[in-house]
Amino acid sequence: MTAWLATNLVAVALLPPLILVLLLAAGLILQRRRPRLAKSLILLSTAALYILSTPWVGGLLQKSLEISAPLSPAQLQAADAIIVLGGGRRIAAAEYGGDTLKGISLERLRYAAHLHRASGLPILATGGKPDGGTLSEGRIMQHILQSEYDISPRWIEDAALTTWDNARLSAPLLKAQNIRRIVLVTHAWHLRRAVPLFESQGLKVIPAGIQFSSTRIDSILDLLPTPAGLRDSTFALHEWLGILWYKLRSIFAEGTP
């Protein structure tokens, strides 16, 4: 089992919906021996599922991760390059006859292309093959930029398995050409984790987030559970878990002789 797979299995177990299923299962198992505890676990898992599935709570959780406003033209002109982070692939997509990008990656790539056309800044696409497949995220992004946007990225980083790898492996490619100021393209809820990792590599980072969250309650539907609401909450909780993991890892690394 690879380290990437082990880490993701732990994350899946600690995040909804699996953690809620485990709490519910524990409650059902304990009904005879510990009825009060069982009732508490069942109520907790049910209430948490409802709350986390509402679009309003999903928006609140994602908003808690946002560290910047949308990118301004002045900020864009102050940079030397654009880095776009991969956000997942579909392996062996039948309609394309091979690996392609997931929607999250396509959203980031589209914004990177938009910024490139507005500024002329070169693009670095980064992403590897953490879950197998034939083509890395970086190579798929290169192909899509060239074939669909008529843009050729200057650098391709195709070995990164994590956000930490994205930063660690991309920085040398830029520093080799004396590039230090970057526009970092990813989802707004991902920037809190991603920006410090790139800054730790000696880069000056200008956040370029997409899909900023809303915390308004526009209708009763925002307070009703939906699959999209649970997805948004899970994304946010995954980020906070990742931030905690990176902090713990840095603490342990500092204590290693």
Side-chain angles (χ1 to χ4, degrees):
M1 180 183 297
T2 65
W4 176 87
L5 179 58
T7 300
N8 278 270
L9 286 175
V10 172
V12 168
L14 294 176
L15 293 170
L18 182 54
I19 185 64
L20 303 181
V21 172
L22 294 175
L23 288 174
L24 177 60
L28 294 173
I29 292 171
L30 293 172
Q31 279 189 99
R32 290 188 177 181
R33 288 185 297 169
R34 303 285 299 275
R36 294 182 64 180
L37 176 59
K39 183 178 180 180
S40 297
L41 291 175
I42 292 171
L43 289 175
L44 174 62
S45 60
T46 304
L49 177 61
Y50 185 100
I51 292 169
L52 293 174
S53 295
T54 62
W56 180 58
V57 170
L60 286 174
L61 289 173
Q62 290 196 349
K63 181 63 73 174
S64 71
L65 288 158
E66 295 177 9
I67 61 172
S68 67
L71 185 70
S72 69
Q75 289 176 303
L76 182 60
Q77 295 304 320
D80 301 317
I82 298 167
I83 294 184
V84 55
L85 303 183
R89 299 167 303 146
R90 291 176 55 213
I91 298 176
E95 70 274 29
Y96 286 100
D99 300 345
T100 190
L101 296 181
K102 287 185 176 180
I104 287 180
S105 295
L106 287 170
E107 291 165 353
R108 296 174 183 179
L109 194 64
R110 182 188 181 196
Y111 189 47
H114 169 75
L115 295 179
H116 168 79
R117 286 176 173 162
S119 65
L121 293 175
I123 295 176
L124 186 155
T126 169
K129 298 187 292 182
D131 49 353
T134 302
L135 296 174
S136 68
E137 286 179 294
R139 293 300 171 186
I140 299 172
M141 286 193 283
Q142 178 187 30
H143 172 71
I144 291 175
L145 283 172
Q146 292 173 337
S147 63
E148 299 182 21
Y149 293 93
D150 196 27
I151 295 172
S152 294
R154 182 174 298 180
W155 308 275
I156 303 297
E157 188 291 302
D158 60 1
L161 304 183
T162 63
T163 306
W164 180 71
D165 283 342
N166 289 141
R168 179 178 61 87
L169 299 175
S170 296
L173 300 177
L174 298 176
K175 290 179 181 179
Q177 297 189 23
N178 200 33
I179 291 177
R180 304 280 177 169
R181 297 173 298 177
I182 64 163
V183 169
L184 185 62
V185 176
T186 187
H187 280 72
W189 42 260
H190 188 215
L191 285 168
R192 184 179 291 272
R193 180 158 61 109
V195 167
L197 296 174
F198 280 84
E199 289 178 336
S200 70
Q201 297 296 321
L203 298 172
K204 178 177 176 55
V205 180
I206 302 170
I210 61 172
Q211 290 194 2
F212 290 84
S213 300
S214 171
T215 58
R216 299 190 310 270
I217 300 177
D218 296 320
S219 75
I220 189 63
L221 296 177
D222 292 328
L223 299 176
L224 296 178
T226 66
L230 182 60
R231 176 204 62 197
D232 291 347
S233 293
T234 301
F235 279 157
L237 293 174
H238 179 272
E239 286 304 305
W240 281 117
L241 183 63
I243 290 168
L244 175 61
W245 165 242
Y246 282 141
K247 286 185 179 296
L248 290 174
R249 189 169 68 176
S250 66
I251 292 172
F252 290 134
E254 290 174 1
T256 302

